């Protein structure tokens, strides 16, 4: 029964994903993690929203958290994983909430499935700028190779995947190329979208690159009236989930309200 709390493994391709569903009859909210993160980072936001109006679904991507390894860590595999989780939990029209990498999954999925997302909340992600070219790719590879001994140590805390340093790098390289080319995708999304933007650089960025990516969002927001910046917070990219969960929760409430049928507003 989808209205009962549930947690377990959902098979997909050559792997299985750890999924948690709070159940209930509220609006389904599906949370999409950062590139190497686990579902644990959403706990403060979920606690802030509570369970009355919302049904919360979280899951770990391949080789993250409690999910199993795979031979395919591509962005397209992540989109397939979302499809499978939605089908397994019998969710037809979710609000998608993505942090960083997860925000790109949310926006690409919403663009490919018009009318099937109630709305999207992007937490410092889905920004139309990225490192590209051979110089950018080599910079990313060097970053992860330099930290190859650290990655297994932070993986249990939801801060890295159970991948090699080179696999981490390839995920990031693909993401940067998608980001650099994603403005047309963002401009085509037709559901309500709210951004919660951080400040400062993220892991691996420098010299204001991340703020430059946030600034690149401005013409996209101007071109698509469905996109709005709901909040700008003082936290950086890495601490926003821990320090600004209230702003994230409020953005979810705003999207839920914007997507509610006329005459049936969501309760705050």
């Amino acid at each position: 029964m989808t209205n009962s709390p549930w947690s377990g493994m959902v098979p997909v391709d050559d792997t299985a994903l750890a999924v948690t569903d709070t159940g209930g009859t509220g609006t389904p909210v599906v949370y999409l993690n950062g590139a190497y993160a686990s579902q644990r980072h959403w706990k403060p936001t979920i606690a802030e929203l509570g369970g009355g109006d919302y049904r919360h679904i979280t899951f770990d991507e391949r080789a993250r958290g409690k999910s199993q390894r795979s031979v395919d860590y591509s962005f397209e595999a992540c989109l397939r994983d979302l499809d499978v989780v939605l089908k397994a939990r019998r969710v037809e029209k979710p609000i998608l909430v993505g942090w960083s990498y997860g925000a790109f999954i949310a926006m690409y999925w919403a663009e490919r499935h018009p009318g099937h997302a109630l709305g999207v909340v992007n937490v410092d992600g889905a920004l139309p700028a990225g490192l590209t070219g051979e110089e950018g790719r080599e910079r990313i590879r060097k970053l992860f190779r330099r930290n190859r001994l650290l990655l297994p140590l932070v993986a249990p805390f939801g801060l890295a995947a159970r991948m090699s340093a080179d696999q981490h790098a390839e995920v990031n390289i693909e993401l940067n190329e998608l980001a650099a080319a994603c403005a047309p995708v963002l401009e085509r999304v037709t559901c309500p979208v709210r951004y919660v933007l951080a400040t400062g650089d993220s892991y691996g960025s420098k010299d204001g690159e991340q703020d430059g990516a946030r600034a690149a969002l401005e013409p996209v927001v101007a071109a698509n009236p469905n996109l709005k910046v709901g909040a700008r917070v003082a936290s950086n990219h890495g601490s926003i989930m821990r320090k600004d969960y209230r702003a994230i929760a409020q953005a979810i409430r705003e999207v839920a309200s914007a997507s509610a049928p006329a005459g049936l507003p969501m309760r705050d």
Side-chain angles (χ1 to χ4, degrees):
M1 295 288 290
T2 55
N3 61 351
S4 300
W6 182 89
S7 63
M9 303 299 290
V10 173
V12 54
D13 296 344
D14 65 340
T15 185
L17 309 177
V19 180
T20 301
D21 183 347
T22 63
T25 59
T27 301
V29 184
V30 179
Y31 298 85
L32 304 168
N33 311 323
Y36 318 107
S38 70
Q39 56 188 301
R40 66 189 295 172
H41 298 287
W42 295 109
K43 289 182 178 180
T45 300
I46 292 171
E48 176 70 12
L49 286 170
D53 287 330
Y54 303 97
R55 172 186 170 194
H56 307 283
I57 300 171
T58 59
F59 68 98
D60 294 325
E61 264 297 346
R62 305 173 185 213
R64 286 81 152 176
K66 296 180 180 179
S67 293
Q68 297 174 4
R69 289 183 170 90
S70 173
V71 297
D72 186 357
Y73 298 121
S74 67
F75 187 78
E76 288 297 324
C78 292
L79 289 171
R80 291 199 302 277
D81 291 347
L82 176 55
D83 283 330
V84 169
V85 169
L86 292 174
K87 183 177 180 180
R89 302 313 303 151
R90 300 180 184 179
V91 174
E92 295 183 356
K93 289 191 174 183
I95 293 175
L96 300 176
V97 184
W99 170 39
S100 191
Y101 187 91
F104 286 95
I105 297 173
M107 292 298 276
Y108 270 78
W109 193 93
E111 188 268 339
R112 293 186 187 186
H113 301 84
H116 289 275
L118 286 178
V120 175
V121 173
N122 294 322
V123 182
D124 212 38
L127 304 173
L131 294 173
T132 58
E134 188 52 42
E135 182 178 350
R137 290 191 288 271
E138 189 56 28
R139 176 175 155 188
I140 293 169
R141 292 189 182 106
K142 286 181 178 179
L143 172 69
F144 284 99
R145 288 170 183 167
R146 187 167 61 245
N147 290 281
R148 65 187 183 280
L149 299 180
L150 178 64
L151 296 173
L153 299 179
V154 300
F157 302 99
L159 299 174
R162 296 191 307 284
M163 302 177 186
S164 69
D166 285 343
Q167 286 173 321
H168 277 84
E170 292 308 312
V171 168
N172 199 276
I173 287 169
E174 182 186 35
L175 175 62
N176 273 271
E177 292 173 351
L178 284 166
C182 78
V185 172
L186 307 186
E187 291 173 359
R188 289 193 295 266
V189 171
T190 57
C191 62
V193 178
R194 296 292 184 274
Y195 280 84
V196 180
L197 300 179
T199 59
D201 287 320
S202 62
Y203 175 71
S205 69
K206 58 184 180 180
D207 301 328
E209 288 173 336
Q210 191 75 4
D211 280 331
R214 296 176 189 116
L217 180 65
E218 294 175 5
V220 178
V221 171
N224 185 346
N226 296 302
L227 276 56
K228 299 182 185 301
V229 176
R232 297 179 186 270
V233 298
S235 301
N236 63 28
H237 185 77
S239 64
I240 189 171
M241 297 284 286
R242 174 171 47 88
K243 293 184 177 180
D244 289 291
Y245 59 89
R246 292 185 179 90
I248 299 168
Q250 180 57 31
I252 295 171
R253 294 186 189 104
E254 290 177 10
V255 165
S257 179
S259 61
L264 294 173
M266 289 290 296
R267 299 189 301 273
D268 284 336

